[in-house]
Amino acid sequence: MRSDQFKTGIGKAPHRSLLKASGLSDEEIRRPIIGIANSANEIVPGHIHLDTIVEAVKKGILAAGGTPLEFTTIGVCDGLAMNHIGMKYSLGSRELIADSIEIMAMAQPFDGLVIVPNCDKIVPGMIIAAARLNIPAIMISGGPMLPGKYVGESVGLDNVFEAVGKAAKGDMTEEQLYSLECSACPGVGSCAGLYTANSMNCLSEILGISLPYNGSIPAIHADRIRLAKKAGAQIMELVDKQIKPRDLITEDSIYNALAVDMAIGGSSNTALHIPAISHYAECPITLKDINQVAEKVPHLCSLAPGGTDYIVDLHRAGGIPSVVNELMKHGLIRENCMTVTGKTIGENCKNSPIKDTSVIRTFEKPVHKDGGLAVLTGNIAPDGAIVKKGAVDPSMLKHSGPAKVFHSEEDAVDAIMTGKIVKGDVVVILYEGPKGGPGMREMLTPTATIAGMGLDKEVALITDGRFSGATKGASIGHISPEAASRGPVAAVRTGDIIEIDIDNNSLNVKLSDEEIQKRVAELPEYVSPIKRGYMNRYSKLVSSADKGAVFEL
């Protein structure tokens, strides 16, 4: 066993003495030792209940003959970090989470690992750690929040952000805003729509690193506790059979994850995290690879923020196994990928019919004939940009308009709130990329404010930063190379005409190549706005968004 490195033989008597100081018996020390990475804390609603999940995991491990040992990781709530300096630290936390788990599992060599995340960067951060370590591992998340109810309608966090714009415009009173604020997030779990956290929790099933329905069982359902017990028991089988993350996360399972992502219309942030996971799992892809899948796979689910259904509705309709089963019928899933069940993805999903075709559409009657995400390229995005196509109004799939250029999210939001953005404009937010931000802030406030002011069918936003999974409208992010790396997007100035054609995957500024090159050559050297600490170091190490904003060292 891997844990023999710190517990077996005469020379490890001091180590066993320390383990006994923690209350472990000789029998517990002899058993396989399973590390549990728990990201519970008291500030993130998706994580506040994870101690309950971990207790269930421990019961499963103990019942199957293992010894569970829990440790903690950090977790940032993107909603709470939104629209202030805290959001610069969110994406950077992904690598820090992976680093901390790697350190714990190397310093104390566990035989297996259970990762327990729930929200935006914590899920990919923990999967990255599992891929790097490549020891038997399984993931069990905390599950999605239920939607709230406001004036008889289901609502989520995105509705509150949009209501800020409505209140600013005078279309909603402060009392109505307060009532919505108190109603939208009714309890624990990752925010209720198909935002980044739930997108990644769903895709973990396809990557093979979690059990079926991990992405959709609501946080408050007893089934979530039973699934956690099952995950605890299953890690013991993975240890016994030495099934490891890189046996599961392969070129084929990455393809499957992209296919399901297109079918459910996942967050645009998956276009950051899937390439990152593939990089650390040593089967790299880039942003441009996504279109090859998007062109084949139809968009089957209309989930919030682009639609009216929520994750609880997806679960009721059959969950991710039913989506996979529908795609398998049409040869769009590589069925032989192994999963933590010990069975292939095809075996896991073959008997999973759709239970409600109003939530999960059939292949013949999709929401859209192609995928929910689209990668755009052009003279300001030669390495690609991403848009959540499934959440764009058809009237904005093709748009041309004058740029209004801002060098920070704050300046853009101020212009939107004070009425300086008008019908037809293209808001351009630069120097918010992985290096430039630093940290590639998630910008829900400008997109939600525009939607709340009724401009989402008239105004587009483009940025080298990124948008929240709760974003809707013609919001195009991840422009690569970013402005801070002297990418051509840095040449755009207020008044330049931006041409967007989402159906034809193009994004251009109406300038000659010579003019773009001239303007870029005149740019001053980039200087990080954060002068010290973690994010200053991050800005020096991080790759471009098209590669997943990874550390390439």
Side-chain angles (χ1 to χ4, degrees), residues 209-389:
I209 197 76
S210 69
L211 295 170
Y213 306 104
N214 174 68
S216 61
I217 297 173
I220 64 169
H221 282 197
D223 277 351
R224 175 65 53 182
I225 299 300
R226 284 188 279 271
L227 193 73
K229 290 177 182 177
K230 189 174 179 181
Q234 194 64 23
I235 187 61
M236 299 305 296
E237 182 176 328
L238 298 175
V239 170
D240 182 59
K241 294 180 178 178
Q242 283 299 290
I243 298 173
K244 301 175 182 178
R246 285 188 222 159
D247 299 325
L248 312 174
I249 303 172
T250 63
E251 182 179 335
D252 284 344
S253 70
I254 291 288
Y255 166 87
N256 287 342
L258 292 174
V260 172
D261 198 14
M262 296 305 127
I264 63 176
S267 163
S268 61
N269 280 315
T270 59
L272 201 63
H273 300 316
I274 295 299
I277 290 167
S278 71
H279 169 82
Y280 291 114
E282 300 183 356
C283 50
I285 63 167
T286 63
L287 194 56
K288 287 183 178 180
D289 295 320
I290 293 174
N291 269 349
Q292 297 173 26
V293 183
E295 291 166 358
K296 302 176 186 175
V297 179
H299 180 204
L300 302 180
C301 303
S302 185
L303 301 170
T308 56
D309 295 322
Y310 287 83
I311 300 298
V312 65
D313 301 306
L314 175 67
H315 185 65
R316 175 178 52 79
I320 294 301
S322 294
V323 176
V324 173
N325 185 51
E326 184 65 16
L327 295 179
M328 283 197 303
K329 293 177 186 176
H330 300 275
L332 293 171
I333 291 291
R334 297 175 184 175
E335 298 181 28
N336 293 325
C337 294
M338 185 56 63
T339 72
V340 290
T341 65
K343 299 178 181 179
T344 66
I345 191 74
E347 291 170 325
N348 287 347
C349 302
K350 66 181 179 180
N351 296 315
S352 302
I354 298 171
K355 298 176 182 178
D356 185 344
T357 55
S358 71
V359 178
I360 303 172
R361 308 281 189 90
T362 63
F363 189 88
E364 292 75 21
K365 295 182 179 180
V367 181
H368 300 104
K369 61 182 176 58
D370 49 13
L373 298 177
V375 176
L376 314 184
T377 57
N379 64 2
I380 53 173
D383 292 336
I386 192 78
V387 63
K388 190 168 183 176
K389 184 176 180 179

Side-chain angles (χ1 to χ4, degrees), residues 522-536:
E522 294 169 351
L523 294 171
E525 284 297 314
Y526 161 78
V527 178
S528 175
I530 296 180
K531 307 301 182 188
R532 61 192 303 172
Y534 177 72
M535 290 310 295
N536 180 273

